[in-house]
Amino acid sequence: MIEIVSIDTPTLGDRGYLVTDGRVAFVVDPQRDIDRVLDLAGERGVTVTDVFETHIHNDYVTGGLALARATGAAYHVNAEDPVAFDRHPVGDGDVVEIGEDMRVRAIATPGHTFTHLSYVLEAPGRAPAVFTGGSLLYGSTGRPDLLGPEHTDALVHAQYGSAHRLADELPEDAEIFPTHGFGSFCSSTQSQATASTIGREKGANPVLTLEEREYVETLLAGLDAYPAYYAHMDPANTAGPDAPDLSEPHRADAAEIRDRIDAGEWVVDLRSRTAFAAGHAAGALNFGLDGAFATYLGWLIPWGTPVTLLGATAEDVATAQRELVRIGIDRPAAAATGGPEDWSSGAPSTLPTATFADLASVRHHRPVVVLDVRRDQEWSGSRIDGAVHVPLHDLLRRLDDVPTGEVWVHCQSGYRASIAASILAAAGRRVVAIDDEYRTDSLTGLPIVAAA
């Protein structure tokens, strides 16, 4: 009996896989924190003999090399990838026998990258399973624009061809196991599906239902910004990352925290936006663990800036540390636990919050700056008339574009608004964070500009 175990990283929108016949196992696209994989293999009493990479990843630091070294497994990476470490080179049509019953065949599926591979598992008594990485996803495909605009046209057409090759060569009952598509910015669109087959995708996936030109035009028109930290992932993965150091960081007291903030380092409050608003160390930035913490921190931080983590508990700090190593921020400069009274030499600062109804009311009495920090596609779909638009990921370099005066900042649900408000407050601005859902019934009394 073949078991395919999904290893989810929901905060980055990715999945890796451990596949076992009960004796040996192989792994596809593991994340940097390989202890999760080792624990799964240990629980099942199986030996990991092979590790496969579908591509050089753009959105996270791989754990593939570290896992192969820890287990003695063969590490299969495309022969055409210019990596700086020893690997078992693999290419289109190559077959790897694993144990007595599992056979893995590589299929070239360029589109997300030029050297992307998918892997087809064939075993007695079950339909084939294909590990598609960033190629054919549930209801979508991987983005073709992450290698730069000069390659996007070639890659989007290649992506179309790759999806059709999979659909043509595999039976309709073949199960699909993608790496991206669960919230990852590596996916061109998002899907709520949790499982699929080639047959199901043939009837629903735009890459398999549209003509090539329409697919290309539709996909390219729907692409929006992606995290800036992606630029650092390819070099890290090509060089060959080691296993992360997840040991406890240096503990900082209130005086050291103040010194780090004054020095321009990032001191990050991991608590919810509600807790942050009620009290925080002045100058700290709010990237709550209850949202896409690593994605937005990695997107905004000037790369290489020291990071100090402030968490309610040691477990929160450890969680944040694990999230950060996945995107190449290897060691916090320091950490502290407790609450704002433990992190501040004086009285903690507070952050005013409000609803959209409050905004509608206050605009009758005095002028305020309305700052919308949603992404471009969200803004173009609907916006508050008169709002200033600076996407969150551009805010640090565009602080001067935010007009003077009291700033009421909003996003779609409140998470990004709190990040933006903490940045503005740290810069000395008078700010109110709108902690509310941007939806029709909450926007009553505000003038809205809808998409044409």
Side-chain angles (χ1 to χ4, degrees):
M1 177 71 70
I2 303 298
E3 182 186 16
I4 301 176
V5 184
S6 172
I7 307 169
D8 291 6
T9 306
T11 50
L12 294 180
D14 288 316
R15 286 182 180 175
Y17 300 93
L18 180 136
V19 185
T20 178
D21 63 0
R23 297 177 295 275
V24 296
F26 69 88
V27 177
V28 182
D29 290 346
Q31 285 273 346
R32 182 89 179 280
D33 48 330
I34 62 172
D35 55 340
R36 293 189 292 167
V37 183
L38 296 173
D39 288 346
L40 286 171
E43 290 167 5
R44 287 160 175 77
V46 299
T47 301
V48 176
T49 61
D50 296 83
V51 180
F52 295 88
E53 296 284 7
T54 58
H55 60 293
I56 302 297
H57 300 283
N58 295 294
D59 64 333
Y60 66 85
V61 178
T62 181
L65 181 60
L67 180 61
R69 287 173 173 168
T71 60
Y75 189 29
H76 304 281
V77 179
N78 195 319
E80 297 181 12
D81 285 323
V83 297
F85 50 84
D86 291 334
R87 39 78 195 271
H88 284 246
V90 64
D92 187 40
D94 289 347
V95 174
V96 179
E97 304 281 350
I98 302 173
E100 297 179 3
D101 297 322
M102 296 187 291
R103 181 177 183 269
V104 176
R105 174 167 55 95
I107 298 180
T109 48
H112 191 46
T113 68
F114 285 106
T115 55
H116 192 286
L117 295 171
S118 295
Y119 298 101
V120 179
L121 166 66
E122 297 167 337
R126 62 160 292 132
V130 57
F131 299 89
T132 56
S135 183
L136 184 63
L137 312 182
Y138 298 154
S140 185
T141 53
R143 293 180 72 137
D145 61 328
L146 300 182
L147 301 187
E150 68 274 21
H151 300 303
T152 300
D153 185 69
L155 286 171
V156 70
H157 286 280
Q159 190 74 291
Y160 185 86
S162 294
H164 280 263
R165 180 182 179 186
L166 291 172
D168 291 343
E169 293 189 10
L170 297 175
E172 293 206 347
D173 62 350
E175 297 173 275
I176 299 170
F177 294 91
T179 300
H180 303 313
F182 312 98
S184 169
F185 282 88
C186 278
S187 177
S188 55
T189 60
Q190 301 303 325
S191 169
Q192 300 301 312
T194 57
S196 192
T197 62
I198 289 291
R200 192 174 304 167
E201 295 305 310
K202 280 184 175 180
N205 195 313
V207 73
L208 298 176
T209 60
L210 300 179
E211 294 296 326
E212 183 169 358
R213 189 173 84 171
E214 186 178 0
Y215 160 76
V216 168
E217 291 175 351
T218 301
L219 184 147
L220 295 181
L223 295 177
D224 206 341
Y226 56 85
Y229 76 83
Y230 279 22
H232 305 281
M233 300 300 95
D234 183 287
N237 289 325
T238 301
D242 294 327
D245 178 3
L246 293 174
S247 62
E248 185 176 342
H250 159 71
R251 290 287 167 158
D253 60 17
E256 181 180 339
I257 290 169
R258 182 75 262 151
D259 288 343
R260 290 186 178 278
I261 292 172
D262 291 344
E265 298 183 9
W266 273 34
V267 173
V268 175
D269 192 323
L270 304 170
R271 298 172 303 144
S272 71
R273 57 187 182 267
T274 302
F276 181 85
H280 58 269
L285 307 178
N286 181 218
F287 290 81
L289 283 177
D290 55 346
F293 158 73
T295 295
Y296 285 109
L297 191 150
W299 201 334
L300 272 70
I301 192 170
W303 205 248
T305 301
V307 177
T308 294
L309 301 173
L310 307 181
T313 66
E315 291 74 19
D316 287 344
V317 170
T319 296
Q321 191 176 349
R322 182 177 290 269
E323 294 279 358
L324 292 179
V325 299
R326 293 170 179 159
I327 64 167
I329 299 177
D330 282 353
R331 290 293 295 165
T337 58
E341 65 282 352
D342 303 305
W343 309 327
S344 308
S345 299
S349 295
T350 58
L351 176 68
T353 61
T355 65
F356 284 111
D358 295 328
L359 175 61
S361 176
V362 79
R363 291 179 82 182
H364 290 300
H365 305 292
R366 67 180 190 274
V368 297
V369 176
V370 180
L371 177 64
D372 185 336
V373 296
R374 297 175 302 156
R375 292 189 296 276
D376 288 343
Q377 285 193 348
E378 295 171 289
W379 162 265
S380 62
S382 168
R383 61 185 183 272
I384 297 171
D385 192 22
V388 176
H389 181 225
V390 179
L392 175 61
H393 56 268
D394 287 337
L395 183 59
L396 280 171
R397 67 178 182 84
R398 293 182 56 191
L399 282 173
D400 290 344
D401 291 347
V402 181
T404 59
E406 182 179 325
V407 181
W408 287 52
V409 57
H410 82 87
C411 61
Q412 188 67 34
S413 64
Y415 183 83
R416 287 172 291 174
S418 185
I419 297 173
S422 70
I423 291 171
L424 290 164
R429 298 300 301 271
R430 192 154 49 101
V431 61
V432 176
I434 298 178
D435 189 4
D436 200 356
E437 288 277 348
Y438 185 92
R439 61 180 190 270
T440 302
D441 61 339
S442 66
L443 298 171
T444 302
L446 291 168
I448 301 300
V449 178

